[in-house]
Amino acid sequence: MSMGIPPKLQKVPSMRVRVEDTLSAHRNELVSLLSRYVEQGKSILQPHHLLDELENIIGNDEAKKSLSDGPFSEEAIVVPPFVAIAVRPSPGVWEYVRVNVHELSVEELTVSEYLRFKEGLVDGPSDDPYLLELDLEPFNASFPRPSRSAYIGNGVQFLNRHLSSSMFRNKESLDPLLDFLRVHRRKGRVLMLNDRIQSISRLESALAKAEDYVSKIPQDTPYSEFEYALQGMGFERGWGDTAAHVSETMHLLSDILQAPDASTLETFLSRIPMVFDVVILSVHGYFGQANVLGMPDSGGQIVYILDQVRALETEMILRIKMQGLDITPRILIVTRLIPDAGPTSCNQRLERISGCEYSHILRVPFRTNHGVLRKWISRFDVWPYLEKFTEDAASEIAAELQGIPDLIIGNYSDGNLVASLLSHKMGVTECTIAHALEKTKYPDSDIYWKKYDEKYHFSCQFTADLLAMNHSDFIITSTYQEIAGTKNTVGQYESHTAFTLPGLYRVVHGVDVFDPKFNIVSPGADETIYFSYTEKGKRLTSLHESLEKLLFDPEQNDEHIGILKDPAKPIIFSMARLDRVKNITGLVEMYSKNDKLRNLANLVVVAGYNDVKKSNDREEIAEIEKMHALIKQYNLDGQLRWISAQTNRARNGELYRYVADKRGIFVQPAFYEAFGLTVVEAMGCGLPTFATCHGGPSEIIEDGISGFNIDPYHPDKAATLMADFFQKCNEDPTYWVNISEGSLGRIRERYTWKIYSKRLMALAGVYGFWKHVSKLERLETRRYLEMFYILKFRDLVKSVPLAAEDPSD
């Protein structure tokens, strides 16, 4: 019997070799393509620029596909005669090469060399070998992390498997688990285990005795009726509220001691009492429950957090009850107090959250040496106030909770930085949520940071993001793409892996998307507000008269301008803040230029103000002016209705459904959207949705099944797709219904707050445990970050001017 010859192992060719092979295979096409790049002079080309050039140059379809799939589809830096290319073989993996177009020679570059070459776009060639470089890789070299892109965003599962395998080697290695259970206390009250249990062997015997005892009493027996019996065996409250729940929790621990398993450990940790007090940071904007949506910097993040808190409180109450405890949970949303709060409640220190018993908004003012800042300021201008805000917030939190929280959750760049400072000060588990990282929303805002800095202060913001991401114990994202993008797009967090702020510092290894701190936990929409248009019994029909007036009343005023001459047409509907990235003006323009679409449907947008005098936001004012110019340029009166921002969520929910009744669509045209809460809201109401392919919406929507992906960088194609949809629906009305039903099914399956809150609590438990029993504290990293904060970030903050007003004491 002959043995087969094993296949010969072949070395994966280097990126330099792959580029040389591509040059050899498509010499004429690539010489033409690269020469086009070089002829343009110094420039930076993003993926859509590169693909557009390919379309213009390559005639052969086979060659075009080969090249678009090859190493020429990512960022390119042109400094004639060189073209440096950032190649991304897979999400989270980067390599760099440089081609001399005159000589057709190829060389590989290190990250540092590539970034130095890129800086030549701005400052010309630099010979300074001592520019500050931020490199966190040495601190993470020995830290466990997955190596495959498929594992990105499943950090807790990977971490549990890896650390469990080392912890479960033998009985002695289980001692950290025993220590963890023995130190469980709540404000001095002992939970889980008392001093009778001092060793693993004692724990095993006590568990066997307790399980036997509990199995012999009725399973619905309240814990209080057998509390003293278990106390004598070494067990305190926290195992469950009934005999059945106590038995289940003890059985899980017995399984871990006898036959260790990572999934069993995760289930056990999610059942034991660990989180009672939560602090959530959302610093900028007008954070309130009424009259804030549509105000500057006050949009989806507020809705997200309020819905999050309601779901989280419900889950915490349920868990604490099932654990057999009579502890009252507390959730504090810590935000800025604004004395000149207008029609909002943002000048109140403490405000209970409606629909909650134990959750409040705690507002702390911005202070300087001159007193309290009274007015709203942009999220881009908050940096000089945050350090003092953190100190004041720490005192206020301690007073409210009579202690420190068990979990701190940051939101957006400013809230995440404050969360990191508080976590560092209090020694508390920290979770961060980006919502939106501005670096992704403003292409090239790193390399050209000086151009943006006076208006946006991105040097502060990008530094704050790096500090918070690396300090956090775990990071929640809504989608995979938020972390690591897709095959052809770069993720929000991935864009912070390596970049440069010329003249300031280079980030050689900043954020590692393979880090097991990343976890995907998708939010939902409030199901009491955003439900299907088909649920007639729940519909708010009493609002229909006011909705018809909002949409069709010919009167022109501050709330609505523009007339819809043919109300029978279906509606293209969009609702967002009026800023450049949300791209509402881009939607208006793509609609304006497509005659077929204009004939088939009306356009209704809910966004910002329609009067520049009402806005204080620089970017919004520019967009208002652009909207008016488009309406005039394309003679849109009769086909466009522009409605000012609407803050009544119940009416907004019915507005989605009203548009669905008229067989309309919802469009989310942003250049980048981290998640897309309005996409979930619209789909949850059964409204077919067309949303940007850049960011989270392309993960929420299954293209052609539960909605459609559009590319705002190719507006003509997006408009044609919408026109074709309406034409197809006219020919076959069931097509609209099929997409609507696909939308509803997708939301029920993946995007609910109940799923979210369960997952968040489980993550808090698992990361809290591993932080206690292993080196997840990452002390070395945190000391490095502390130095960077003090020596670099504080100096950057000094460049941000304080708001121009006369603060009062």
Side-chain angles (χ1 to χ4, degrees), residues 83-103:
V83 178
I85 305 165
V87 186
R88 185 171 171 263
S90 61
V93 178
W94 291 83
E95 297 178 47
Y96 306 93
V97 293
R98 181 167 59 194
V99 181
N100 183 323
V101 178
H102 292 172
E103 299 176 5

Side-chain angles (χ1 to χ4, degrees), residues 725-753:
F725 173 81
F726 283 117
Q727 184 174 337
K728 192 167 183 179
C729 291
N730 287 342
E731 295 165 359
D732 177 12
T734 63
Y735 184 60
W736 188 97
V737 174
N738 290 340
I739 299 297
S740 172
E741 289 177 351
S743 302
L744 291 164
R746 181 69 170 168
I747 297 305
R748 282 192 293 266
E749 175 192 332
R750 297 282 293 275
Y751 300 98
T752 72
W753 281 111

